[in-house]
């Protein structure tokens, strides 16, 4: 299994300029729609939280939409996705019903976990989405285990394992890196580096802030990607997936991104300036970027984009209404799903 | 002239097989030369000379089994050319030899120091098998039966298991299904849980459950809770197994009993067998169970032999206690190694006219409360025995159950026997003081019988 280190050095991707190569009109419009769906969904979730309909923790994905969407673009049937607690966007992109996701946020019977998981704990085996995990870093070992199962079965599937810059300092991440490379497991580690682990900036938490280099001592190749550019994400994901799928083992993608909202709903916003957030929103917004690409190419006029916007708003309104009227779980649900009955 | 004695190669080794001599009478040896190979049921190790001289006599021929520790196995004379006069016989130097290979810190299970009484209520017939081999047979049979079952852990493959429990599995099933992991409990437990979520059936071996504390987040937060948090979508058919509790002289960090810790967690099943038949039958049931199962073994039981039914489909249902010995005067509850002590205590009590009923809990979660309560309704007295600490422990749960469900039947306040409320000490005398003993169980039983 030992391979020469040559050619396996970590590298920075080329400047993310000519990233529109190989994108069709339909693809770009579909991505635009998906990213917009995440944003509108998350905005509504924030509102419902403010209204007291969503309780506990609620971590919004606004600003990071291009990553989930770009990775999804290279997923094949059977590939798995697993992430941490900032998971709503991933679930929508994987194809989970927005109604079920929103109803889980409101803790209702119609939620994807029948109201027993909440924001951080949703799953869909059908969609290949394995959570939704609330313990920072746990999903990295679990996602590597999904890859172990793929390798065991020789099924050609890849595990896309997402985690943040905060989780990147957890010990089990490196235990998993070691085994993934040692056993050539088909896993793509997607580090969503949004610069802040809760309120601690990466400079204040990490001795090596270039997270794509974190696999170097395990011989895992890594690259830095502009996570605000869906096309760049897609292209890097394609390289990484090909590497993993072809039996060459794990691959690390460090997605440079930014979260517009607080860590969770109760964020003091003392650790960064309003100007910093505004600067990113104005100049690096991932949805604006796609919109610009669409207009540059003349693939969508304002009317077309407005139509998509209206469609997305309708989906979100419907999901929010469903999440409001769906009943709370029956009291009997308290004692279900603790054990699988034998024979199931 | 010096006698070379049979060395103890691990803290609990009492005897071994002299597998091979590398020297013969008349050979000159120097300190550090490998002179012999010794096998125990756990490992094969080389023995080095610790003195120089000439082998004058081989006292134990190679191939001899059950050679007791400290038996003279050869005689070493003065080196040639050191003078005509024979030196005065030197006293034996204990130990006269050192193992060439450092054995793992954990010990080989000794042969039983006493003959466990045959429990009249729980006799099984079959082939005499050690608990160690019964566990191995259970894994091998289930791996033959179900291609999705595999074993992962430290030293489970090439090394043949730190306690030889996985002996022969790598040869039969190959490296795909018998996976040697790096020493990264947190990581490989997480990988196992992830593979289980994807539908495989991993058996994750911890070298001991002490090391599973590194991995406990995945056992509890990932394995036990995800079915519930996913509304029944994500199952986790996994077995976490390995030795639990105190071995011998390995001190506090290597000696903890985690029974109560895991038995508190909804979503886990927790099993702790005593004899080989249960070890096999319950492990097979655990592997077939669609839920995460924590399977607590005991190092001191690995080498003990019991009858095991030969039916390859023989399993023991999880969640059923077993009355190992019926009795009318007092109920003794115990699990794992403590069952042996309770049975021994029952024999002592019997000679004093007290018939103790020994209930082997076998499963801690779900706990078979009905069997305990019914037993107390017959005996009106109870002593719980566990190896772990008493506060918030297994005995606390049992006593609470009895107080709630058999209060009117009790003729004496229940008593709990447990480890002293201290970290487990290393010194032999303190260790013995800290752990439950037959004497303490007898004393407690007499007390609840007002004798």
């Amino acid at each position: 299994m030992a391979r020469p280190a040559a050619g396996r050095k970590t590298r920075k991707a080329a400047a993310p300029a000519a990233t529109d190569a190989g994108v069709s009109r339909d693809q770009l419009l579909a991505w635009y729609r998906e990213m917009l769906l995440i944003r509108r969904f998350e905005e509504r979730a924030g509102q419902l939280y403010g209204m007291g309909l969503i309780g506990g923790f609620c971590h919004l994905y606004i600003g990071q939409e291009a990553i989930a969407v770009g990775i999804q673009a290279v997923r094949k049937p059977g590939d798995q996705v697993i992430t941490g607690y900032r998971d709503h966007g991933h679930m929508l992109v994987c194809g989970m019903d927005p109604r079920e996701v929103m109803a889980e946020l409101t803790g209702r019977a119609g939620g994807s976990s029948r109201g027993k998981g909440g924001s951080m704990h949703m799953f869909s085996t059908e969609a290949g989405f394995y959570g939704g995990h609330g313990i920072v870093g746990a999903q990295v070992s679990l996602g590597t285990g999904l890859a172990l199962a793929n390798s065991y079965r020789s099924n050609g599937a890849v595990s896309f394992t997402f985690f943040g810059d905060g989780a990147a300092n957890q010990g089990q991440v490196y235990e998993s890196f070691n085994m993934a490379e040692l056993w050539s497991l088909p896993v793509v580690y997607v580090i969503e580096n949004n610069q802040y682990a809760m309120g601690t900036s990466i400079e204040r938490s990490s001795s090596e802030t270039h997270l794509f280099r974190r696999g170097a001592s395990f011989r895992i190749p890594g690259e830095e990607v502009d996570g605000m550019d869906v096309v760049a994400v897609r292209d890097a994901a394609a390289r990484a997936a090909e590497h993993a799928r072809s039996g060459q083992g794990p691959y690390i993608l460090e997605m440079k991104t930014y979260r517009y909202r607080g860590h969770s709903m109760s964020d003091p916003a003392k650790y960064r300036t309003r100007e910093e957030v505004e600067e990113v929103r104005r100049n690096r917004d991932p949805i604006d970027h796609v919109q610009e690409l669409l207009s540059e190419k003349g693939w969508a006029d304002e009317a077309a984009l407005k139509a998509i916007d209206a469609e997305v708003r309708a989906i979100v309104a419907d999901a929010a209404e469903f999440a409001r009227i769906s009943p709370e779980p029956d009291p009997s649900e308290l004692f279900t799903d603790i054990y699988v009955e034998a024979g199931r | 002239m010096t006698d070379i004695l049979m060395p103890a190669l691990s803290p609990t080794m009492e005897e071994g097989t002299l597998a091979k001599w590398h020297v013969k009478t008349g050979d000159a040896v120097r300190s550090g030369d490998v002179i012999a190979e010794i096998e125990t049921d756990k490992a094969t190790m080389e023995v080095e000379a610790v003195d120089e001289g000439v082998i004058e006599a081989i006292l134990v021929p190679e191939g001899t089994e059950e050679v007791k520790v400290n038996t003279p196995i050869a005689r070493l004379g003065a080196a040639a050319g050191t003078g005509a006069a024979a030196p005065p016989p030197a006293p034996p130097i204990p130990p006269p030899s050192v193992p060439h290979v450092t054995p793992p810190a954990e010990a080989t299970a000794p042969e039983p120091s006493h003959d466990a009484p045959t429990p009249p209520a729980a006799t099984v017939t079959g082939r005499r098998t050690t608990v160690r081999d019964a566990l191995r047979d259970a894994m091998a049979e289930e791996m033959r039966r179900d291609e999705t079952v595999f074993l992962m852990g430290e030293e489970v493959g090439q090394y043949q298991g730190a306690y030889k429990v996985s002996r022969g599995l790598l040869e039969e099933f190959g490296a795909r299904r018998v996976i040697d992991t790096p020493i990264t409990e947190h990581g490989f437990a997480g990988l196992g849980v992830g593979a289980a979520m994807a539908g495989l059936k991993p058996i994750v071996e911890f070298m001991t459950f002490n090391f599973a504390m590194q991995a406990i987040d995945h056992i509890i937060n990932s394995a036990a809770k995800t079915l519930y948090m996913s509304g029944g979508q994500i199952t986790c058919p996994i077995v976490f197994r390995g030795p639990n509790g105190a071995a011998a002289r390995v001190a506090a960090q290597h000696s903890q009993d985690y029974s109560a810790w895991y038995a508190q967690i909804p979503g886990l099943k927790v099993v702790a067998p005593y004899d080989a038949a249960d070890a096999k039958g319950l492990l097979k049931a655990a592997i077939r169970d669609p839920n995460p199962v924590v399977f607590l073994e005991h190092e001191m039981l690995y080498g003990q032999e019991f009858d095991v039914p030969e039916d390859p489909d023989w399993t023991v249902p999880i969640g059923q206690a077993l009355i190992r010995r019926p009795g009318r005067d007092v109920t003794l509850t115990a699990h794992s190694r403590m069952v042996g002590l309770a049975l021994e205590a029952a024999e002592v009590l019997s000679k004093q006219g007290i018939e103790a009923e020994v209930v082997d809990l076998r499963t801690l979660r779900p706990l078979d409360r009905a069997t305990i309560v019914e037993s107390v309704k017959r005996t009106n007295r109870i002593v719980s025995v566990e190896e772990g600490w008493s506060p918030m422990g297994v005995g606390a749960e049992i006593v609470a159950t009895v107080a709630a469900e058999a209060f009117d039947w009790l003729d004496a306040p229940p008593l709990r026997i447990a480890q002293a409320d201290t970290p487990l000490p290393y010194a032999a005398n303190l260790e013995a003081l800290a752990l439950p003993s037959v004497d303490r169980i007898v004393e407690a039983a007499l007390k609840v019988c007002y004798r």
Side-chain angles (χ1 to χ4, degrees):
Chain A
M1 252 173 262
R3 291 191 298 269
R8 296 179 55 76
K9 273 188 282 187
T10 55
R11 60 184 167 127
K12 283 201 176 192
T19 52
D20 53 345
V23 183
S24 72
R25 176 178 181 272
D26 289 351
Q27 268 178 329
L28 208 54
L29 280 169
W31 294 345
Y32 177 76
R33 183 185 167 284
E34 285 179 4
M35 290 166 68
L36 203 62
L37 175 63
I38 296 172
R39 182 154 304 180
R40 298 288 172 259
F41 183 97
E42 294 289 63
E43 287 165 355
R44 181 60 68 96
Q47 286 169 11
L48 296 184
Y49 194 94
M51 294 160 64
L53 280 164
I54 297 174
F57 295 119
C58 185
H59 308 89
L60 303 181
Y61 198 60
I62 296 174
Q64 303 180 210
E65 297 92 341
I67 300 168
V69 172
I71 297 287
Q72 176 70 16
V74 306
R75 268 185 80 196
K76 292 190 174 171
D79 287 354
Q80 302 105 335
V81 168
I82 187 168
T83 187
Y85 48 77
R86 198 174 304 284
D87 54 355
H88 312 162
H90 293 283
M91 296 184 289
L92 295 174
V93 163
C94 285
M96 288 173 68
D97 184 343
R99 283 183 162 197
E100 283 189 6
V101 178
M102 198 69 96
E104 189 61 35
L105 293 179
T106 55
R108 304 303 173 95
S112 68
S113 297
R114 299 211 294 280
K116 298 200 281 193
S119 165
M120 301 187 285
H121 313 109
M122 289 187 235
F123 306 82
S124 169
T125 45
E126 207 174 280
F129 183 73
Y130 283 80
H133 294 272
I135 304 298
V136 174
Q139 78 274 21
V140 181
S141 299
L142 297 172
T144 309
L146 296 173
L148 175 65
N150 295 339
S151 169
Y152 189 92
R153 291 177 166 133
S154 304
N155 62 8
V158 170
S159 163
F160 290 94
T161 298
F162 291 78
F163 55 104
D165 46 298
N169 290 325
Q170 286 277 26
Q172 65 179 311
V173 169
Y174 300 95
E175 299 187 15
S176 302
F177 279 5
N178 183 43
M179 286 180 275
E181 180 64 26
L182 192 63
W183 301 334
S184 298
L185 301 182
V187 53
V188 174
Y189 296 112
V190 185
I191 306 177
E192 299 192 62
N193 179 0
N194 67 18
Q195 324 292 329
Y196 294 94
M198 267 188 82
T200 305
S201 70
I202 184 147
E203 291 77 16
R204 293 175 57 229
S205 67
S206 303
S207 51
E208 168 56 274
T209 57
H210 292 295
L211 301 179
F212 69 96
R213 292 179 181 155
R214 291 287 184 94
S217 61
F218 306 95
R219 299 169 166 265
I220 302 176
E223 58 180 279
E224 183 183 82
V225 184
D226 180 358
M228 307 303 264
D229 177 350
V230 65
V231 185
V233 171
R234 193 277 312 263
D235 291 348
R239 286 190 292 276
E242 164 57 23
H243 182 91
R245 214 182 295 282
S246 63
Q248 296 180 74
Y251 202 95
I252 294 170
L253 298 176
E254 179 191 359
M255 300 291 176
K256 298 300 284 283
T257 185
Y258 201 79
R259 115 173 103 66
Y260 294 180
R261 298 294 185 91
H263 160 71
S264 65
M265 300 309 293
S266 56
D267 184 291
K270 297 284 187 204
Y271 52 87
R272 60 184 186 183
T273 62
R274 191 180 293 268
E275 291 71 32
E276 179 184 305
V277 181
E278 271 313 304
E279 201 275 329
V280 178
R281 291 186 101 137
R282 228 181 0 256
N283 301 321
R284 292 182 60 207
D285 185 80
I287 298 178
D288 287 352
H289 176 68
V290 174
Q291 208 173 329
E292 282 156 20
L293 284 179
L294 285 167
S295 352
E296 272 171 28
K297 292 175 179 296
W299 282 349
D301 57 18
E302 204 166 317
L305 295 178
K306 276 201 169 144
I308 292 172
D309 198 38
E311 184 210 343
V312 162
R313 282 181 192 280
I315 292 170
V316 170
D318 171 72
E321 180 61 8
F322 178 81
R324 192 181 65 79
I325 61 172
S326 178
E328 290 189 311
D330 189 87
S332 66
E333 285 284 356
L334 179 60
F335 293 107
T336 60
D337 304 321
I338 300 166
Y339 293 101
V340 184
E341 300 307 318
R344 190 177 127 176
Chain B
M1 206 170 56
T2 307
D3 278 346
I4 297 175
L5 306 184
M6 180 73 168
L9 302 178
S10 73
T12 54
M13 173 178 164
E14 294 181 354
E15 61 181 31
T17 298
L18 210 166
K20 192 169 170 52
W21 277 109
H22 288 291
V23 294
K24 57 184 188 302
T25 305
D27 283 358
V29 297
R30 284 186 307 180
S31 180
D33 287 354
V34 173
I35 57 171
E37 283 177 26
I38 286 172
E39 278 178 16
T40 66
D41 51 358
K42 193 181 147 206
T44 301
M45 278 163 277
E46 295 176 334
V47 180
E48 292 177 1
V50 293
D51 211 345
E52 57 180 32
V54 173
I55 300 291
E56 289 194 341
I58 300 285
L59 302 175
V60 176
E62 71 178 27
T64 308
E65 296 178 2
E66 297 178 5
V67 182
K68 300 283 180 205
V69 165
N70 284 340
T71 305
I73 56 174
R75 187 161 299 138
L76 191 66
T82 55
I93 309 160
S97 310
V98 294
H100 185 66
V101 178
T102 306
E106 293 72 30
T108 304
E111 289 307 301
S113 57
H114 53 80
D115 291 325
T118 308
T123 309
V124 292
T125 55
R127 203 154 47 88
R128 296 295 283 176
T129 311
T130 60
V131 169
R132 167 183 291 113
D133 289 345
L135 293 166
R136 191 264 321 275
D137 293 347
M139 289 192 284
E141 287 172 15
E142 293 308 299
M143 287 172 77
R144 281 173 211 134
R145 182 176 172 271
D146 183 347
E147 208 271 334
T148 65
V149 178
F150 68 99
L151 174 66
M152 65 190 296
E154 293 155 7
E155 310 294 4
V156 297
Q158 286 192 5
Y159 194 96
Q160 304 287 304
Y163 297 94
K164 277 198 178 174
V165 172
S166 56
R167 187 164 47 185
L169 295 184
L170 175 66
E171 287 68 22
E172 178 173 355
F173 298 102
R176 173 173 164 263
R177 299 182 67 194
V178 181
I179 303 172
D180 279 323
T181 65
I183 304 174
T184 49
E185 285 85 6
H186 194 182
F188 72 69
L191 261 68
V193 173
M197 288 174 172
L200 298 181
K201 294 185 158 183
I203 305 166
V204 171
E205 175 175 314
F206 293 113
M207 196 178 290
T208 84
F209 264 92
N210 298 284
F211 312 149
M213 267 205 287
Q214 301 254 15
I216 201 164
D217 177 61
H218 279 302
I219 299 174
I220 293 174
N221 271 322
S222 302
K225 296 179 184 172
T226 302
L227 181 72
Y228 195 80
M229 295 203 303
S230 66
Q233 286 188 73
I234 304 282
T235 59
C236 190
I238 192 171
V239 176
F240 301 102
R241 50 155 290 271
N244 172 64
R249 309 291 312 283
V250 292
Q253 288 179 342
H254 284 68
S255 301
Q256 191 168 332
D257 173 7
Y258 292 87
S259 301
W261 285 42
Y262 292 110
Q264 222 207 2
I265 305 300
L268 292 180
K269 293 186 178 181
V270 182
V271 177
Y274 164 60
D275 70 7
D278 276 4
K280 183 175 180 189
L282 282 165
L283 183 52
K284 284 164 71 78
I287 294 167
R288 293 181 192 186
D289 200 285
N291 296 286
V293 180
V294 171
F295 194 90
L296 303 170
E297 300 160 10
H298 204 295
E299 185 191 332
M300 303 297 277
L301 295 173
Y302 279 155
Q304 293 198 19
E305 280 191 349
F306 300 87
D307 286 337
V308 175
E310 299 198 45
D311 173 8
D313 236 13
W314 184 74
T315 60
V316 173
I318 292 174
Q320 291 182 11
L322 178 68
I323 296 177
R324 292 248 169 216
R325 182 192 198 282
R328 61 174 187 275
D329 299 323
V330 57
T331 297
L332 304 178
T333 61
H335 64 280
S336 190
R337 176 170 173 255
M338 292 299 112
V339 174
L341 271 65
L343 289 169
E344 208 176 331
E347 286 301 299
V348 175
L349 290 162
S350 182
K351 294 195 177 79
Q352 302 182 35
I354 292 172
E355 293 304 326
E357 178 150 297
V358 176
V359 178
D360 179 353
L361 303 173
R362 301 204 288 190
T363 300
L364 300 173
R365 187 179 187 90
L367 184 64
D368 182 355
R369 295 170 200 272
T371 296
I372 300 167
V373 168
E374 288 312 308
S375 176
V376 171
K377 286 181 178 176
R378 286 191 295 273
T379 64
N380 312 110
R381 294 168 166 88
I382 181 168
V383 174
S384 78
V385 186
E386 69 186 301
E387 196 181 293
W389 295 300
S390 169
M392 317 296 160
V394 174
E397 181 64 25
I398 287 171
V399 169
T401 299
V402 168
E405 296 179 31
F407 186 76
D408 290 339
W409 280 267
L410 282 174
D411 286 346
L415 285 182
R416 289 178 284 165
I417 296 296
Q419 188 186 139
D421 200 9
T422 68
L424 195 73
Y426 168 70
N429 65 326
L430 297 181
E431 184 187 61
L433 270 178
L435 290 171
S437 66
V438 172
D439 287 350
R440 285 176 58 202
I441 299 167
V442 168
E443 193 186 328
L446 290 172
K447 194 170 174 191
V448 298
C449 292
Y450 297 114
R451 293 271 293 267

